Amino acid sequence: MSSVAVLTPESFAEHRSGLRDQEITGGVPEDEAYIPTYLEAFPPLPENRGNLGDKSGELGRAWSTKIRPIRASVITQVFNVPLEERRYKDNSQFGDGGEEAKVCLDIMQRTGAHIELSLAKDQGLSIMVTGKLDSVMKARKEIVARLQTQASATVAIPKEHHRFVIGKNGEKLQELELKTATKIAIPRPDDPNLNIRITGTKEGIEKARHEILLISAEQDKRAVERLSLEKAYHPFIAGAHNRLVQELNRETGARISIPPPGLHKDEIVITGEKEAVALAASRIQAIYNDKKRKTTTISVEVKKSQHKYIVGPKGNSLHEIMESTGVSVEMPPLDSASETIILRGEPDKLGPALTQVYAKAKSVKVVEVTAPAWLHRFIIGKKGQNIGRITQQLPRVHIEFTDGEEQISLEGPTEEVEQAQVQIQGIIRDLLVRMDYTEVNIDQRFHRHLIGKNGANINRIKEQYKVSVWIPQEPDRSGLVRIEGDPKGVQLARKELMEVAHRMENECTKELSVEQRFHRSIIGQKGEKIKEVRDKFPEVVINFPDPAQKSDMVQLRGPKNEVEKCSTFLAKLIQDLVENTFSLSITIFKQFHKNIIGKGGANIKKIREETCTKIDLPAENSNSETIVITGRKNNCEAARDRILAVQRELANNREAEVTIPAKLHNSVIGSKGCLVRAIMEDCAGVHIHFPSEGSGSDKVTIRGPAGEVERAKRQLLLLAEEKEVNNFTAELHAKPEYHKFLIGRGGVNIRRVRDCTGARIIFPSPDETEKELITIVGKEEAVRLAQKELETLLKNLNDVVEDCMVVETRHHRHFVCRRGQVLRELAEEYGGVAVSFPRTGAHSDRITLKGAKDCVEAAKRRIQEIIEDLEAQVSVEVEVPQQYHRAVMGPKGCRIQQITRDHDVQVKFPDRDESVTAGGSEAPPPQENGNASLEGETVPRRCDIITISGRTEKCELAKTALLALVPVTEDVQVSYDLHRYIIGQKGSGIRKMMEEYEVNIWVPPPDQQSDVIKVTGQMASVERAKLGLLERVRELQAEQEDRVGTRPVYWNKHTVGHTDTASLIKGTSSRSGVCALYSVRIILRYLIPFPVHRSPDVIVISGYERNTEVARSAIEQLVSALQEMVNQDVHIDPRTHARIIGARGKAVRKAMEEFKVDIRFPQPGSEDPGRVTVTGLPDCVDNAIEHLLNLEEEYMLSVTETETMAAYMKPPSRYRGSDGGGPDDNGGLAAKGFVVRDAPWNDKAPDMSSAEDFPTFGAGAAPKQTSAWGPKKF
C-alpha cells in the first residue's frame, strides 16, 4: 500500500510561514537534514482502482487511459470519371500531356497534393490523389469541378433548417462541399425561396442531397419551448448551485437554459426531443406554481458596502442560504443606490434566512486609518517587512494603501481588523516621532547635477545624512524635491541641496567650436596640456566630444566669470594652433627633389630650422611632384620662396598667369584632365595650375621653362576661346522610355541628328536623378537646329495609335517565352510600345501593337525581321573537344555571349560526359569478334558537338568565331638560365605576362632543365605572347651583357655618425627599416647584400654605377630616419591583449598604421606577460601608448563586469571544495549525495557505475540476469 499526500493552499502557506517547522523535523535533530523514506521519495504507481481512495483512483484512471492511436498524416484517395462525364475527350494520344495533365499540374501547385492519372480500358479516367487530408479534399473538389462535366439539382427543405446546413461561421457547409466535391448555393435569409441548389457530378449531387435531407430530418425531430415565468422564481427552478436544473436535464434529456441573475429576462428556453421538452416544461411549470402559492417575501435594509459580503465570491453565500433554508435572496443591482434586500420563501424559513443574511453582512468589517501619504512606505517597511508581520498574524485581514491618499483601508473579521488597526496606529505614532520630511523647489534643469554621475552625489547625501531624497522623473515636469528621514538629517540635506542649486544657478555652459584635428594638440601627451588648463581654471569643467562623433564642439561649464576667462584663454591657444598648422602645397619637378633635400638631408633640414616649418616630400617611388609645407602662414610662404628659388637656380623657369572665365575651367580641363594634360605633355616641363573649385578666381598659373610657358599659354587661350564659342547649351525634356527610340538601334537616329547639325546630345545616365533631361551642347545655330529635330521626333512619339499585324501561331512562343523577354526588349527599344499576343487556345494569329506611330511602325518592322530569321533558321554543328569548352565559353560565359550578340545566333553546348579521361580522350570501345575498326572511320562524340542556330550566313560567321576561340599550344625556345628571371619574384613576372596576353604559360620544372616554354591560348593571343616573351628574353640578355665589368661600391656607415646603423637596417627591431630597404632594392633593380665579410660596419651595394649612387643616398636618408626611433615598454593587463589585437590582428594593425609605430605583444608563457613594446618616432610612440592605455581602461570595465557576473553564475557546489573556502569549510561534512531510508538496497547507496543497479539502454553490454528496468526491447 502507498499513500498520496495532497498539498492544499493552507498547508503550503503554513509551510512558507515557518509554522510547521517542528512537525517536519519530527524526531530528527535540528542540525541534521531530514532523510525521506524510500516510499516517500519514490511512491509506487497504483496497481488497480479499488485499492486506493478517491485521489489515487484518479491517478489510476490517468495511467490506465488508453493512448489514442496516431493517425497517418498522409492519405490516398482513388476515384473514377466515366467516359461520358469526362470534360476533355479529344486527346489524340494518352501520355502526350493534354489539357487534363495541365489542369492536374495547376491543381497540384495550388493545393500541394500529388495527383496521378491513368486511363481505363473503357476510356474512363482513374485519378489517385495523395497528400494531407485537407489538401486531398481541396484537390478532389477542384478535379471534379474542372475535369468532370457538371450537373445541377435542387432540394427543398424548410427555411428554418437552412441555418443548420450552413453551420457556425459556415463550417458545416464548407465541410459538406469538400466531402461531396460539389458547390451548394443556399438562398439568403431575406429570400422566401426554399430550394437549395447543388452543382457537381451526379454522384456528388446525390451524396449532398442525402446529407441535406438528413440534417432537415434531424431538425424535424427537435422542438423548442419558451416559458415566460417571473424572474423572482428562477432561483427556485435552478436550485442551490444549479443542482435542480442539472437534475432536470439528466432526467428528461432536454436542455434547459435559465437566464443569469444579472440579465432581467423572464423567458426560460427548453430544447431537445419533443417528448423530453414537454416533460421538462411540465416539471418546471409545477415547481413555479408550487413556489408561487407557498412563498412570501420580507424586505430588509443593509448598507450598500455590506452587500458584497452577503453575495459572497461568485454568489456562493446566496447559494449557501438557498441550500440551508430554501429561501431566495434578491440583491439590488450594483449600479443602483438602493439598500433594500428582498427575501422570498416559505414563512417558517424566512427567519433563519434573515439571521444568516445579517450574520454574513456583519462578518466583515471595514476600517480606515489616517496616516500621511509620505509615511506609507515606512509603514509597509523594506520589502514589506512591517506590514508582512501583521498579515502573518492576522491572515484574514486585507490592508490596502492608495497612492496620493492619506487613508489606509483595513478589511476582514471584526476582531482581527481591530487588532490590525491598533498595530498600524502604533507604527504611525512611532514614525511621526522619529521621522520628518520637507519639500524643496529646485529647477528641473539642475536635477541631473543633483543626482551626479551614476547617482554619486545623491547617494552620498543619502548615506551621510541617513535620509531618502525623492527627485521627480523628467516627464513629470516638476521641480519639487522631497526629503524624508531623521529631522536633523532632513534639515542638513535640505541645506546642502539648496547650496548646490544656488551654485548651479550661477553656472553657465558655453560651447566653443574647435576643429577636431586640434583636439589632440590641446589635450596633449597623456593629457598634460589640458591638465595645465584645468589647474589654471579649477572651477571650469572642460568636456571634449568623443572622436567617433566627429564633432567640433568643446563644452565649458562653471561660474560665468571663470568660463569667460577659460574661453578667452582657449581661443588664443586655438589661434596659435591655427597659425602653426597653416598648410600650402607647391609643385616642384621630380628631378630637383634630391637637390632640395641635399646631401644627407642638409638643405631641407636647414630650410626647416630657419623657417620653423614642417616640409613633407613625396616618397622616392611616388610619381607625385607636390611638396607640402606646414607651419605659420608667413613662415610657410618663406619656405615656399626658398624652395622655388632652388628650382629656379637649377632650371631656367618662369611663371605666367592667364585669365580664363571660371565657368569654362571644367571644359578646358576636360574629362579626368585629359585636355590640360595633353598641353602639359606637348609643352615639356610645364605645370598648369587651376584655382580650386568654388573660389571664383579666373587666374590660371603656368610654370615651367620660358619658351614652353609661352607655348602652353597660347594653346590654353586658343582652347578656352574654342570652348567659349562651342559652349552654348539647351535642355529638352522627354519621357525616359522615349530615349532609346530617339537614340535608335545602334545609335542611328541620334547619329543622324549629330551629323546634320554638328551639336552634341547628352542623355542622362542611369544613376542620375533627373531622368527626363536631355542636354544639347555646341554652337548656338547647331543647338537650335538639333533641338527642333528632337522636338519633331517627340511630337510624333506622343501621337498614340493602335495597329494590328498577322503572326503565325507557331511563332508566338518565341515572343512570349522566357517571361516575355523579346517583348520587353521591343518595348525598351521602341519607345514603350505595347505588343499584345492572343491568349493560349484562342487560335488567333493577329497581334495588337499600341504606342507612338513611329514606334509602332518600327516595332512592326522589327517583328517581321524576327519572323524572317525564325523561318530561315538552320542549325550548324561544330566539333570542339570537350576539354576546350570552358575556355571557349570564357569567364562567366562572356565570350560565347559576345558571339551570340554579334551574330544574332543561339549557341548550345552539350551535356558534360564524365567518362572522358583527363586528357580529353575516351577509352576505345572493345573489339567485337576480334575485328578492329577500319582506320579513318571515327565518329564524333556527342559531348564534343556544339550546336549553332540562326540564319545560314550568320551561323557560318559564328562558327568561324567559335573555332577561333579554341586554344592552341606552341613551344618557345628560352634558355634555362633565364627562366627564373622570366618567372620573377613569387611568380609576379610570369603572372603579369599571362594577364597581359590572356594566355597560359607553362615553364618546365627546374629538375628537367628544359629550354622549352609552352604557351597556350587563342591563336592571336599566343602570337602576341610569343613576341612579348622573346622581347623579354632579349632584354634579359642585354642586361647580362651590361653587367659585365660592374664594380661593387662600399659604404661605411661610420660616415653618418651612428655605431649601430647596419644592425638597425638588417635586424628586425624596426619593421619600417626592412620595408624601406626592400623598396630601395625593387626600385633601383640592384642587389644590396648585408655584411657577411670584411667589417660588420660596411654595406656592399652592387649594381650599375648610376644606381649605386642613388641607392647610397636613399640608405643615408633611411638611416637618419631610423636614428630618431625609440623603443618604449608599457604594462597592459594581459586580459585585454586579445581585444586590443582584434580578430586576426586587425585592430592592432590599424593602430600601427594610424600612429606609424610597431607594437609587439609578449609571447605566451613569458616572464612579464603584461609588457608591450612600442617602437617608432618619440611623438608617435607617446600617442600610441596613450591610445593603448585608453583601450586598456575601457576593456577592463568589461572584463571586471564579466568576471563578477561569472562568479555569481557559478553553482554553489563550486565553492565547496576542500580548500575553496565555501560553506562546508567550517567543519561541515562532505556531500553524501541523495540518500533515502528503508530502501531496497538496505541503507546502502547505489553504485553509480554498476550496470546492475543502473543498466544501459540500447545495444550496449548488459548483465545476463534480469535488470531492475525489466527485459531489454530491441
Side-chain angles (χ1 to χ4, degrees), residues 38-199:
Y38 179 77
L39 290 177
E40 289 175 346
F42 305 101
L45 297 175
E47 297 178 359
N48 55 61
R49 301 182 187 180
N51 295 340
L52 302 174
D54 293 339
K55 298 291 183 180
S56 61
E58 294 176 7
L59 293 174
R61 285 192 293 275
W63 282 98
S64 62
T65 302
K66 291 185 178 180
I67 300 175
R68 295 177 60 187
I70 299 175
R71 301 179 64 182
S73 60
V74 177
I75 65 168
T76 301
Q77 282 193 6
V78 179
F79 56 95
N80 299 312
V81 179
L83 175 62
E84 61 272 11
E85 294 184 12
R86 286 178 60 188
R87 177 167 291 184
Y88 304 101
K89 302 176 184 177
D90 56 349
N91 286 345
S92 58
Q93 183 180 356
F94 185 77
D96 63 347
E99 293 298 328
E100 290 173 340
K102 293 179 181 177
V103 169
C104 290
L105 182 61
D106 181 50
I107 294 172
M108 284 195 292
Q109 291 176 348
R110 292 172 60 182
T111 63
H114 179 69
I115 304 172
E116 294 183 9
L117 300 179
S118 60
L119 202 61
K121 291 182 180 180
D122 60 355
Q123 296 301 306
L125 198 61
S126 179
I127 305 171
M128 184 171 70
V129 187
T130 305
K132 294 185 177 180
L133 177 61
D134 186 40
S135 301
V136 169
M137 299 303 290
K138 290 180 180 178
R140 180 182 174 183
K141 181 181 176 183
E142 288 205 33
I143 289 170
V144 169
R146 298 174 65 178
L147 294 185
Q148 197 167 356
T149 55
Q150 302 291 296
S152 63
T154 59
V155 57
I157 63 173
K159 189 73 176 178
E160 58 268 18
H161 295 174
H162 285 192
R163 63 189 183 92
F164 297 103
V165 177
I166 296 173
K168 187 178 181 181
N169 297 326
E171 293 176 356
K172 182 69 175 178
L173 180 61
Q174 293 175 7
E175 181 185 353
L176 193 57
E177 287 182 338
L178 284 176
K179 185 177 179 182
T180 61
T182 58
K183 177 66 177 176
I184 302 173
I186 299 176
R188 298 177 62 84
D190 53 358
D191 188 353
N193 186 14
L194 304 179
N195 293 328
I196 297 176
R197 177 171 292 278
I198 309 170
T199 306

Side-chain angles (χ1 to χ4, degrees), residues 556-569:
L556 309 179
R557 190 179 74 248
K560 293 180 181 178
N561 296 335
E562 293 298 315
V563 167
E564 290 298 329
K565 292 179 183 178
C566 183
S567 174
T568 305
F569 179 81

Side-chain angles (χ1 to χ4, degrees), residues 1209-1250:
M1209 296 292 287
K1210 290 180 181 178
S1213 59
R1214 296 189 182 181
Y1215 296 97
R1216 296 177 181 173
S1218 59
D1219 55 355
D1224 292 344
D1225 289 348
N1226 301 326
L1229 297 175
K1232 297 180 181 179
F1234 184 73
V1235 180
V1236 296
R1237 294 181 289 115
D1238 303 330
W1241 48 80
N1242 298 324
D1243 294 334
K1244 178 183 177 183
D1247 185 3
M1248 305 295 286
S1249 61
S1250 171

